[in-house]
Every structure is written in structure tokens, then in C-alpha cells.
Amino acid sequence: MIRLTDIKLPLEHPEGAIEAAVRAKLGLGKDAVRQVTVFRRGYDARKRGAIQLIYTLDVEVADEAGVLKRHADDKHVQPTPDTGYHFVAKAPENLAQRPIVIGMGPCGLFAGLLLAQMGYRPIILDRGKAVRERTVDTWGLWRKRKLEPESNVQFGEGGAGTFSDGKLHSQISDPHHHGRKVLNEFVLAGAPEEILYVSKPHIGTFRLVTMVENMRATIDSLGGEIRFSQRVDDFLVDTETDGKRQIRGVVLASGEQLLSDHVVLAVGHSARDTFFQLHERGVYMEAKPFSIGFRVEHPQSIIDQARFGPQAGHPILGAADYKLVHHCKNGRSVYSFCMCPGGTVVAAASEPERVVTNGMSQYSRNERNANAAIVVGIDPKDFAAFDDSGSPLAGIALQRALESRAYELGGRDYSAPGQLVGDFLSGKPSSEFGSVQPSYKPGVRLTDLAPALPDYAIEAIREALPAFDRQIKGFAMRDAVLTGVETRTSSPVRIRRGEDYQSLNTQGLYPAGEGAGYAGGILSAAVDGIRVAEAVARQINATH
């Protein structure tokens, strides 16, 4: 097969135009092209009204060697690379201990799946519930203002990514095509096949629920063991005669001990109690930068028109997204994060009497509003205002303080504080909604958002919104709604690991995914889970 890249065609190209473009590119007659498969399809929307589709194609031709020879100097005509997944190991017979995976978000799910596929029969622990029970509990907060601390947007089967837009694209380097393995497994579990070729694939919450259940069934069928409502409360760590530390297992909230010399830590970025326990047990970690801000909602039609012009609404384009960044005079950077076209703002708290926002979309992306987090980058030097101990966990103190303040500003009933963009820019409280009705459930209480974040963050966002309006007309519209607060953009800690993916100072412990500070999003977390599973397999086989 031959891979052609950068094949450009008009958005409204006729049937047969792809094959015609292939023949023109390669200088071949009709009979010489046997098959054309779309590997990826993206678009270039820089010229509104003249949007182009950009294809990567895999082509079967009659004389592959001859064609490649004639186009040897063309970087857009190359042999199709092998993007299939190849397992790195197979479990030895009579394996004495089963590896443990803590957490069943995207990272833990794929770590467990890969270990099961290689024959290691992992034990997967999740503090939350199975995904359908978890969904009921999550809706309990949204509809009845009842928070379940162990079963919510953050905790439970599928992880935080289950209640999101289901984006499946990432900027990570992936030379071994682990991302393709993730997409293929998702398709096998029920995702639409288009995620294999569209440039910005997404799934949506409802489809993710069924897919996660199907993947769980696969792990079960391969000998894996999945245990829900099993919070890990402690870690068994031995210090050996040479001073090295070795993980020996975990202690569950029930008091049960599970022994294993190989523990994958895929707990997600909101497992604060777990971070404290690891710190107490001496596992090396560092405070890391993250971001704080608000969710902003606009009519999706405004974003579509700004991005696509007269071609807005085209079924191939779907609901438009955006990615914005502004570097402020005070030295801060403000950027859009987790943009959800045609979606909703959701309550994402995991601790009582705190308010946290996140964004979610269904596969159809057909809700009235677009939403995104508009966040300000902060780093460990900013944490001292909330915890001056120098602890690597100081960022958690900052998060908790802002989430508690949002709870108070929202009326202390899990409503979120909100403000119209026009009033926010003018520095006055909002009293009534305009043309944009907020989607956050259980509700939004209009107020002044200035007290919700540190002054430097408010100053930066006030500067950034008009700058974003110059890129997307209407972004700073008066009636757009800001909802607070967004604090869970990424983990506040990084649990450092070496090249072998093990903790720097605790052998057998494999920090992984978003919670450990090594991923940001479903795809990158899943890929990290695969890489860590491979590392576990290699280490087990090397010592067995």
C-alpha cells in the first residue's frame, strides 16, 4: 500500500473526486488504482466560504514499486506504515502474583485491558461504582443537589472522561502507534468507525457508557478481575537492606490487604486523599503547574458562523470548536480548555460543600450552547498564598479554597456562581440572564465572580476576553455566561517516575495517567496506560 498525504479537495467535492485526485497525483490510469481507503480526513477553515477537506489516503496500485520509485522525492507519497499494535510480552506460566491497577478511568482501563490481553490477569480496583450506577449518582447531584463523594463525575468506572465531550485527539508523540490501538479498541467496543479517520474524533457521554461496559466484559473474559467500591486507603512499602523501597501491595478501606509487587497508580487528578497517603508513605512527588478559571457559554451558532462563515451547518463540519490563547500584560497566559461544541456545563464536585465545573457533549453535539473553560496558568509559587508549608500538595489547598468559595458564592446548595461577560468586564454583579441561558445543573446563581479567583486571574481573564473577541466575533458578547469555578484542569502534583515507568524511589509502583501528571485527556491517558502496562509486563518477565 502507498500512503498519500495532503490531498486537498473542496468541501462539496463530488463522489469519485478522491480517486480522481489519486490518479492525478500518481499519474495513473483508472485501471491502475485498485483501492483507495481514507486514513484521515481533516479540514482547513482559514478561508471562510472556501473550506477545504484534507485527506490522508492509503492506496493499492498495480505497480507499487514503480510508483514509489517515480515519486521517491515526494514526501507526500510514501509506503503505508505499519500502524498495527504488537504486544511486547506474554505472561509467564504459573505467575505468582497478579498486577494491581488502581483506577478505571481511561488510563487504568487500558492498562488493565493490555495486561489482560497479554495474559497477566490483573486485579483492577476502583473506588467508585460501575458506570451505570455511577451515572445515576452523578445525575443525583445535577437534579437533586445530592453529592455522592465516592461516585460522581470524578470517581467510578470510566473516570472523568466519561462525562466529557469524549475527545480522542492529542498532541502527544506516538511513534509506536499506541493511539491507533486505543481507537481500534474503542471501535471494537462500539464507537463509530469514523473515529479512525476524522482529524478530531469524539464520542460523547452516552456512547462512552456502553463502550466502557463492553471493555469491562472483555477484561473479564480474559481473566481480569474488576472490583468496584474498593477504595485504596494505604500502600504496603518495604525498605530493603540496600535502602531501596519496594511496593508490596495495597490496603483497602475494608481493611483487606492485596499483595503485589507491581501496582499501577491510575487514580485520576481528583484522588486527593490518595495523594496525601502516598506522600505520607514517602513516595516522591512534586507540585506542578495547572490552571484555574471559569466556564464560558455562547450560542453555538455564533461559534459556527465565526469559524465556518456561509458553510456553517455543513454535516461534515458539524459544530465548530475553537482553541484560543492570550498572553497578558501581567505575565499570565489565558487559554481555552476542554471546549465542548453543542454541549453543557456540568457539576463536577467530588467533595462536599464545594463547587467545580466541567464540560460535556453528546456525540450529536446538538445542544444550543457551546462551552469551554477559560483558564489562567498558575504554578507552585502561587500556591503559597493558600499553603505556605512548601508541601508538594499545596496546590490541593488552593483548589479546595476556590471550590469552597464558589460553593458559598453559589448559595451553598451546589448551585454555581455565574455572571454575564458584559458585567464581568464592567466589574458589576449580574442580576438577570440575557439571550444565553446557562446549562449548568442544578442551577446558576448570578453574582459578582471577582471574589471567586485571585486578583491576578480576574485581571488576566478580563484582558483576554476582548482579545478572544477579535479572533471570534461575539466571544465577548454581553449576554455570554461565565460559570465558576474550573479547578480540575490537570493534576496539582506529578508523581515522578523513571524511564522504566516506576516511581523514582519506590520500585514496583507505576504512576500513570492524569493523576500522576503524565496525561491530559482521554487519548493521552489511555496511551499512557498502554505504555505502563508494557513496562509492567517487561519487568515481570525479567524477574520471573
Side-chain angles (χ1 to χ4, degrees):
M1 297 283 279
I2 296 173
R3 177 157 294 176
L4 304 185
T5 57
D6 203 36
I7 299 297
K8 297 180 179 179
L9 293 170
L11 179 61
E12 297 284 359
H13 68 72
E15 186 176 355
I18 293 178
E19 184 174 333
V22 168
R23 295 199 309 270
K25 174 70 175 178
L26 299 179
L28 298 174
K30 185 174 182 180
D31 293 340
V33 178
R34 294 174 176 171
Q35 183 179 349
V36 178
T37 303
V38 176
F39 180 78
R40 182 168 289 112
R41 185 191 70 205
Y43 59 79
D44 181 350
R46 287 175 295 181
K47 294 183 179 179
R48 297 193 313 161
I51 296 173
Q52 288 186 311
L53 298 179
I54 305 174
Y55 288 96
T56 297
L57 305 169
D58 286 329
V59 182
E60 183 180 345
V61 298
D63 181 17
E64 180 176 317
V67 170
L68 288 173
K69 184 176 181 180
R70 288 197 302 274
H71 295 271
D73 296 329
D74 189 341
K75 65 180 180 179
H76 297 298
V77 182
Q78 298 291 325
T80 297
D82 178 9
T83 57
Y85 182 76
H86 304 281
F87 292 102
V88 301
K90 181 180 179 182
E93 294 184 7
N94 303 318
L95 186 64
Q97 285 185 337
R98 301 165 70 179
I100 293 173
V101 178
I102 307 174
M104 205 176 172
C107 180
L109 182 63
F110 272 87
L113 176 66
L114 262 290
L115 287 169
Q117 290 175 335
M118 290 186 287
Y120 292 89
R121 300 172 58 245
I123 299 172
I124 306 175
L125 307 171
D126 197 289
R127 66 192 297 167
K129 298 178 182 178
V131 67
R132 294 205 183 260
E133 297 174 73
R134 174 195 178 201
T135 300
V136 171
D137 291 337
T138 300
W139 280 95
L141 174 60
W142 297 351
R143 291 176 171 172
K144 301 177 182 178
R145 304 176 189 270
K146 181 182 178 182
L147 173 67
E148 294 288 346
E150 300 294 337
S151 182
N152 46 61
V153 165
Q154 307 297 344
F155 299 141
E157 184 181 23
T162 303
F163 299 97
S164 71
D165 186 47
K167 296 179 182 68
L168 297 176
H169 48 93
S170 173
Q171 297 180 352
I172 60 172
S173 174
D174 188 21
H176 300 294
H177 308 294
H178 289 138
R180 193 70 178 177
K181 167 70 169 172
V182 173
L183 298 182
N184 283 327
E185 291 293 346
F186 277 152
V187 170
L188 288 173
E193 289 196 13
E194 71 172 34
I195 70 170
L196 295 175
Y197 62 84
V198 295
S199 61
K200 295 181 179 180
H202 74 283
I203 299 175
T205 291
F206 287 168
R207 292 194 179 215
L208 277 166
V209 168
T210 300
M211 289 162 49
V212 167
E213 289 181 320
N214 290 339
M215 294 178 73
R216 183 214 309 165
T218 298
I219 294 171
D220 281 336
S221 71
L222 295 170
E225 179 184 347
I226 299 169
R227 298 172 61 172
F228 297 112
S229 300
Q230 301 285 312
R231 190 182 70 234
V232 173
D233 274 2
D234 204 353
F235 296 83
L236 303 174
V237 180
D238 277 352
T239 301
E240 301 177 356
T241 54
D242 59 0
K244 292 182 179 179
R245 292 158 45 88
Q246 171 67 50
I247 196 80
R248 295 301 184 192
V250 300
V251 181
L252 305 181
S254 64
E256 179 184 1
Q257 294 187 4
L258 296 177
L259 301 182
S260 179
D261 291 349
H262 301 88
V263 176
V264 176
L265 187 71
V267 295
H269 58 41
S270 294
R272 293 165 172 171
D273 49 0
T274 306
F275 297 150
F276 277 93
Q277 189 59 55
L278 289 163
H279 183 53
E280 187 174 316
R281 286 286 168 259
V283 174
Y284 183 78
M285 61 181 69
E286 300 171 341
K288 66 172 277 295
F290 60 101
S291 300
I292 56 175
F294 305 124
R295 280 270 151 186
V296 65
E297 289 189 86
H298 302 88
Q300 181 63 47
S301 58
I302 285 181
I303 308 302
D304 291 344
Q305 184 63 36
R307 293 280 283 113
F308 298 147
Q311 291 171 298
H314 193 285
I316 286 181
L317 300 175
D321 61 5
Y322 56 78
K323 188 175 183 179
L324 303 169
V325 63
H326 176 70
H327 301 289
C328 299
K329 295 176 182 177
N330 67 1
R332 304 283 173 171
S333 291
V334 180
Y335 63 97
S336 61
F337 171 79
C338 187
M339 194 273 162
C340 297
T344 56
V345 180
V346 299
S350 57
E351 295 179 330
E353 299 187 356
R354 294 192 169 103
V355 164
V356 184
T357 63
N358 195 10
M360 183 180 85
S361 295
Q362 300 303 342
Y363 176 71
S364 60
R365 288 178 167 175
N366 62 0
E367 298 292 336
R368 181 179 179 183
N369 290 350
N371 76 79
I374 301 299
V375 293
V376 182
I378 59 173
D379 59 42
K381 71 176 184 293
D382 298 309
F383 304 166
F386 298 85
D387 180 348
D388 61 2
S389 67
S391 167
L393 302 172
I396 295 175
L398 183 152
Q399 290 176 322
R400 284 175 164 165
L402 298 184
E403 292 165 15
S404 295
R405 190 178 301 170
Y407 181 77
E408 294 170 2
L409 290 170
R412 305 183 66 85
D413 64 356
Y414 293 105
S415 295
Q419 190 173 13
L420 273 61
V421 165
D423 293 335
F424 176 77
L425 293 175
S426 300
K428 62 181 182 180
S430 294
S431 57
E432 61 180 358
F433 296 109
S435 59
V436 180
Q437 293 297 309
S439 57
Y440 177 95
K441 303 297 182 185
V444 175
R445 179 177 182 264
L446 287 173
T447 184
D448 180 2
L449 283 176
L453 297 178
D455 290 345
Y456 58 78
I458 296 297
E459 177 186 7
I461 295 173
R462 281 182 174 151
E463 180 183 325
L465 290 172
F468 292 161
D469 192 80
R470 291 191 287 273
Q471 298 179 61
I472 297 179
K473 186 177 180 181
F475 200 89
M477 64 182 288
R478 181 190 181 281
D479 288 355
V481 176
L482 293 168
T483 307
V485 290
E486 186 94 5
T487 53
R488 311 283 182 94
T489 52
S490 67
S491 181
V493 301
R494 176 169 288 113
I495 306 172
R496 293 287 301 278
R497 67 192 187 192
E499 293 182 0
D500 59 1
Y501 292 88
Q502 297 182 69
S503 162
L504 285 184
N505 71 339
T506 307
Q507 292 182 329
L509 182 66
Y510 295 80
E514 287 205 41
Y518 291 99
I522 293 174
L523 185 63
S524 63
V527 167
D528 202 55
I530 293 174
R531 292 171 177 168
V532 167
E534 292 175 341
V536 170
R538 290 189 180 102
Q539 181 64 21
I540 289 175
N541 285 22
T543 57
H544 193 271

